Amino acid sequence: MELKLDFPVFHPWTSSKLPTLPLLLLLMLLSLCSFSPSQCSDLDPEDKASLLLFRSSVQNPDQSLATWFGSNCTNWTGISCENRTGRVVSVDLANMNLSGRLHPGLCELSFLEHLKLSGNNFNGTIPTCFGSLGSLKALDLSHNSFGGVLPDDMMRLGQLRELVLSGNQELGGVLPRWIGNFSNNLAKLDLSLNSFHGEIPDSLYNLKSLRHLDLGDNNLSGNVHEFYQSLEYLSLASNKFVGTLPCFSAATKSLTVLTLANNSLVGGIPTCIGSLEALAHLNLSFNQLSYGISPRLVFTEKLIVMDLSFNDLSGPLPVKIAVATEKSGLVLLDLSHNQFSGKIPLKITELKSLQALFLSHNHLTGEIPPRIGNLTYLQVIDLSHNSLSGSIPLDIVGCFQLLALILNNNNLSGEIQPELDALDSLKILDVSHNKISGEIPLTLAGLKSLEIVELSSNNLSGTLSDAITKWLNLKYLSLAHNKFSGNLPSWLFTFEAIQSIDFSGNKFSGFIPDGNFNISFHNNNGNSDEGPKEQFTSMKNVEIKVSTMVMNTSEISFNFKVSSTVGIDLSDNSLRGEIPNVLFEVEGLEYLNLSYNYLDGQLPSLEKMWNLRSLDLSHNSLSGQIPGNISTLKNMKLLNLSCNSFSGSVPANQGYRRFPGAFADNPDLCVELSGEGCERGRPPVASGKTFEEVGPILVWVFCISAFVSFYSSVVGLFCSGRARSYILQTKV
């Protein structure tokens, strides 16, 4: 509403017209009131009655509407009035924890221009009487619990400029045909995060006033056609759209955000998309786009975010994807999970503003460009799951703001360079599943921000240095399947934030350290939603989320999380001696694997390990009886105590039937069957040692099998820690 402010002109020097002081104060007060439509006005009695009816039907636990009394409009929370008439022109009750159904009294506010009830828990259907609010210009009912369909009476809102109904998951049905022609003023339509289905009505493609359209996260289908208006924002993400990409020619100079992610679009990316001069954010991820990217597809320097991940794009990476300047250009480039091949083009190192680069899960070959250090703003680099070779270029230390260096599952070789300590902001270092050799440089102690260190499945060797203790924020550490040796250090379990340690498949010897475990192992809440297979095959599940604010800033916000699995895996080493009792008192531990070692002694009570989901102590020399309280661990999904020397009996009523094969090859152990006596040692379901590892010894075993039983030989070979020790010595 346009206000015209008329101020009185005073002539105090004219004695015959000199106003009195009270009159002067009154005039000043009146002029002040004219600045705001809600200042110094009495609420219209009819509107007041309508608002009180609305409040009477609303649950208001935070007492946000407790100020709704009296007649002064300025005291009523969320209410604005026209200054001269006192009629309500705006109701803004967003995020006030209100709930209930909307009372029709709101529809009596005949002068209402803005109604915003977002971020509450209103339910029921949208009142049909809203169609009587003929002056309404903006309606926002987003993020509530409304259901049903859009009432046809809303087509009477001919003055509406903004309609925002997103985040009402039960609101749906077919988009009505009138949605694109009921108001020639409609500039913003947001129906995202709902349950609409069917095709986009033709009227929406032709609504000239439309600038912002968000239909994301519905069940809409059909082809995406050309829009014939100057759109600035278009999101059709997470629907069921098919067909090929249009050119959006009518929005060449205006479209800044285009996201069609998570649909079933096919075909190639047309070069005409590069003609969108204002485009800042392009997201075509999670579709079925194919073919190569044309070298003629080059975006302007205004493009900040480009996400083409999870498609079937192929061919070489584009040499030049966007114009770059010193002060503008791409901030995030995600071409991961495609079929790109060939080398990483050097031109990528000229994208000086780049902060996140994702090229993982492709078929890239060659070496990492040595000039990658030119990308001084880079915070995240993920080149994992390719066929890259060579060593990690020393020049990468030029990316001094790097937070995540993810290079796993390639063919990288060489050693970890001591100079990498210059990346002192690094939080994630993952070079697992490569061919990297040598020792962990002592200088890496300077990477004090590290939280995830994944060095597994390489050819690394040496002993563990105390320098690792400088990683004070460490949450996950894996050195699995390397050639590390020596005794486990006494400080192994003392990292303050540690959640998972995996040292399996090495040559560590000596005893398991006995000492106090840190608070992170103890304080796990045990609320992981992952199933046992995913959880216990690998203790790690790192997910990186990168988001950008493309309209107001060119900086990314970097987020990552590690799965809540809390675990220790020391399996397949040469550890001996008894398992420290303190290890079985760690309440928060979910995963414990000490299999394939030479551990002996008895198994203590596990009653404090109420969070334990997987316990594997197989292929050791443990003895004594099975603790009865194992069966009371309700979270337990996997139990393997096979190939040990346990004795005594396991009662049938303790529920161990849910762990088939858990006690196999314990010859002196009686596993009671219901009314059928004992079930004694059987061969385990699966053995962790491969045939090739003990092939030469098996020949000898079969030779002497004429003198002893075949079964006894297998038990002695695979289940006795002393026998396996002899075998290993013989092989050496």
Side-chain angles (χ1 to χ4, degrees):
M1 181 174 59
E2 183 180 1
L3 297 178
K4 295 183 178 180
L5 307 181
D6 297 318
F7 296 95
V9 180
F10 299 107
H11 302 282
W13 51 85
T14 306
S15 59
S16 60
K17 301 288 185 178
L18 185 64
T20 62
L21 183 60
L23 179 60
L24 180 61
L25 291 175
L26 178 60
L27 291 172
M28 292 176 63
L29 185 60
L30 288 173
S31 65
L32 177 64
C33 291
S34 63
F35 278 106
S36 172
S38 61
Q39 295 290 326
C40 309
S41 58
D42 285 340
L43 188 60
D44 178 83
E46 293 182 5
D47 288 356
K48 177 180 178 180
S50 298
L51 289 172
L52 291 176
L53 280 174
F54 164 76
R55 186 180 69 173
S56 67
S57 66
V58 169
Q59 283 75 55
N60 179 26
D62 297 342
Q63 297 299 307
S64 305
L65 308 183
T67 61
W68 284 18
F69 63 88
S71 297
N72 191 337
C73 184
T74 58
N75 294 335
W76 285 51
T77 300
I79 305 301
S80 298
C81 303
E82 205 281 325
N83 66 304
R84 292 184 178 86
T85 64
R87 303 307 297 257
V88 174
V89 294
S90 176
V91 176
D92 185 352
L93 305 179
N95 303 304
M96 291 190 179
N97 195 25
L98 306 175
S99 59
R101 291 176 176 265
L102 295 184
H103 193 279
L106 276 180
C107 303
E108 301 299 323
L109 302 174
S110 55
F111 287 81
L112 191 63
E113 296 181 1
H114 298 87
L115 176 58
K116 186 174 184 179
L117 304 177
S118 60
N120 288 291
N121 195 29
F122 291 113
N123 53 42
T125 58
I126 298 175
T128 57
C129 64
F130 272 13
S132 64
L133 297 173
S135 300
L136 203 61
K137 296 178 181 177
L139 175 60
D140 187 349
L141 304 179
S142 62
H143 300 287
N144 280 284
S145 299
F146 290 110
V149 299
L150 294 181
D152 288 340
D153 296 73
M154 291 183 65
M155 73 172 69
R156 296 159 54 193
L157 301 177
Q159 301 299 316
L160 206 62
R161 298 175 182 171
E162 295 186 7
L163 178 58
V164 182
L165 303 176
S166 59
N168 292 282
Q169 295 183 358
E170 300 300 319
L171 183 65
V174 177
L175 285 178
R177 293 184 178 181
W178 52 261
I179 195 68
N181 55 24
F182 74 100
S183 172
N184 292 327
N185 300 308
L186 191 65
K188 180 177 182 179
L189 178 62
D190 188 347
L191 302 180
S192 61
L193 294 162
N194 290 306
S195 299
F196 291 103
H197 59 85
E199 298 188 8
I200 299 175
D202 290 341
S203 57
L204 270 183
Y205 289 107
N206 296 284
L207 181 58
K208 296 296 184 182
S209 59
L210 196 60
R211 297 292 177 267
H212 181 115
L213 177 61
D214 193 344
L215 301 178
D217 292 275
N218 281 284
N219 293 309
L220 298 170
S221 57
N223 291 327
V224 178
H225 302 297
E226 281 283 359
F227 286 84
Y228 294 101
Q229 61 271 91
S230 299
L231 286 172
E232 298 174 1
Y233 181 103
L234 175 61
S235 175
L236 305 179
S238 300
N239 281 286
K240 299 177 181 179
F241 291 113
V242 296
T244 57
L245 284 169
C247 289
F248 305 100
S249 302
T252 298
K253 297 184 181 299
S254 59
L255 194 60
T256 58
V257 176
L258 175 60
T259 173
L260 302 175
N262 198 20
N263 282 287
S264 298
L265 301 176
V266 297
I269 301 175
T271 56
C272 57
I273 294 288
S275 301
L276 299 173
E277 300 175 5
L279 195 62
H281 186 138
L282 175 64
N283 190 347
L284 303 177
S285 62
F286 290 94
N287 278 286
Q288 298 170 25
L289 299 173
S290 56
Y291 307 116
I293 296 180
S294 170
R296 293 184 295 143
L297 180 61
V298 179
F299 293 90
T300 71
E301 73 279 0
K302 294 181 180 178
L303 188 67
I304 296 173
V305 175
M306 182 177 182
D307 189 350
L308 305 181
S309 62
F310 290 92
N311 278 286
D312 199 27
L313 298 168
S314 59
L317 290 175
V319 173
K320 186 175 183 180
I321 197 68
V323 176
T325 66
E326 289 294 332
K327 297 184 178 180
S328 63
L330 274 173
V331 170
L332 184 150
L333 176 60
D334 192 346
L335 303 178
S336 65
H337 295 270
N338 278 286
Q339 304 294 329
F340 290 114
S341 58
K343 297 182 178 181
I344 300 175
L346 288 176
K347 283 284 186 180
I348 281 185
T349 63
E350 297 178 7
L351 299 173
K352 298 296 182 64
S353 58
L354 201 61
Q355 297 180 36
L357 175 62
F358 297 92
L359 301 178
S360 67
H361 293 86
N362 281 288
H363 305 293
L364 301 177
T365 57
E367 299 186 356
I368 300 173
R371 286 190 288 176
I372 198 162
N374 294 344
L375 304 177
T376 55
Y377 291 104
L378 203 60
Q379 297 182 37
V380 183
I381 179 169
D382 186 353
L383 307 180
S384 63
H385 294 273
N386 282 289
S387 298
L388 299 172
S389 57
S391 59
I392 302 174
L394 186 58
D395 189 58
I396 204 168
V397 299
C399 308
F400 61 92
Q401 300 187 54
L402 207 59
L403 301 174
L405 178 59
I406 305 171
L407 305 175
N408 59 287
N409 290 86
N410 279 286
N411 294 318
L412 299 175
S413 57
E415 298 186 358
I416 300 176
Q417 298 299 321
E419 289 81 0
L420 288 183
D421 67 334
L423 302 176
D424 55 5
S425 297
L426 200 64
K427 294 179 179 291
I428 299 176
L429 174 61
D430 188 349
V431 295
S432 61
H433 295 274
N434 281 288
K435 301 175 181 178
I436 298 173
S437 58
E439 299 186 4
I440 300 176
L442 297 179
T443 57
L444 294 194
L447 303 180
K448 297 181 180 180
S449 298
L450 277 174
E451 298 185 28
I452 299 174
V453 177
E454 234 301 8
L455 305 180
S456 65
S457 299
N458 280 286
N459 296 315
L460 295 168
S461 58
T463 58
L464 296 185
S465 165
D466 292 353
I468 294 178
T469 60
K470 303 296 183 181
W471 298 341
L472 300 179
N473 298 310
L474 197 63
K475 295 179 179 178
Y476 176 84
L477 174 62
S478 177
L479 306 180
H481 304 290
N482 279 285
K483 299 177 181 178
F484 291 104
S485 58
N487 294 336
L488 293 177
S490 59
W491 44 259
L492 181 59
F493 304 119
T494 60
F495 294 98
E496 293 183 2
I498 198 71
Q499 294 180 4
S500 294
I501 290 179
D502 187 354
F503 284 5
S504 62
N506 281 283
K507 299 179 179 180
F508 289 112
S509 57
F511 302 97
I512 298 175
D514 189 358
N516 294 325
F517 284 75
N518 72 77
I519 194 169
S520 290
F521 276 127
H522 281 280
N523 286 353
N524 173 44
N525 57 21
N527 291 328
S528 175
D529 294 327
E530 298 178 43
K533 282 187 178 180
E534 295 79 11
Q535 189 155 247
F536 303 135
T537 300
S538 173
M539 292 193 299
K540 184 201 70 165
N541 180 22
V542 181
E543 182 178 356
I544 299 177
K545 292 184 177 180
V546 178
S547 58
T548 61
M549 297 294 294
V550 299
M551 304 304 291
N552 301 318
T553 178
S554 60
E555 295 183 359
I556 68 170
S557 59
F558 170 78
N559 297 293
F560 71 93
K561 65 178 182 180
V562 187
S563 66
S564 60
T565 304
V566 176
I568 298 173
D569 191 342
L570 303 178
S571 64
D572 200 11
N573 280 285
S574 299
L575 302 174
R576 60 184 68 250
E578 296 187 3
I579 304 174
N581 286 339
V582 67
L583 188 58
F584 295 104
E585 297 176 359
V586 183
E587 298 176 357
L589 206 61
E590 291 181 325
Y591 176 100
L592 179 60
N593 190 348
L594 304 178
S595 64
Y596 287 100
N597 281 288
Y598 306 102
L599 301 170
D600 53 33
Q602 297 187 7
L603 196 59
S605 171
L606 305 181
E607 60 184 6
K608 293 184 178 180
M609 303 184 75
W610 52 268
N611 234 1
L612 197 62
R613 299 187 178 206
S614 175
L615 176 63
D616 190 348
L617 304 179
S618 65
H619 297 85
N620 281 287
S621 299
L622 300 172
S623 58
Q625 295 189 346
I626 303 292
N629 53 24
I630 293 183
S631 61
T632 65
L633 301 177
K634 297 181 179 180
N635 289 325
M636 185 82 78
K637 304 294 182 184
L638 190 155
L639 176 66
N640 190 356
L641 302 179
S642 65
C643 292
N644 278 285
S645 300
F646 289 112
S647 58
S649 63
V650 179
N653 61 1
Q654 290 190 355
Y656 287 114
R657 280 289 181 182
R658 59 194 176 111
F659 307 118
F663 307 108
D665 283 323
N666 284 277
D668 297 328
L669 185 65
C670 169
V671 182
E672 294 182 2
L673 303 176
S674 300
E676 300 179 9
C678 282
E679 179 185 54
R680 293 194 177 271
R682 297 180 305 174
V685 176
S687 175
K689 295 288 187 183
T690 63
F691 181 85
E692 289 76 11
E693 286 180 88
V694 291
I697 307 302
L698 280 178
V699 176
W700 179 77
V701 171
F702 279 112
C703 288
I704 66 170
S705 63
F707 304 98
V708 295
S709 70
F710 171 77
Y711 173 76
S712 300
S713 300
V714 174
V715 170
L717 179 63
F718 287 106
C719 298
S720 169
R722 187 173 299 174
R724 284 189 292 110
S725 178
Y726 171 76
I727 292 170
L728 292 177
Q729 292 173 5
T730 303
K731 291 176 71 176
V732 173

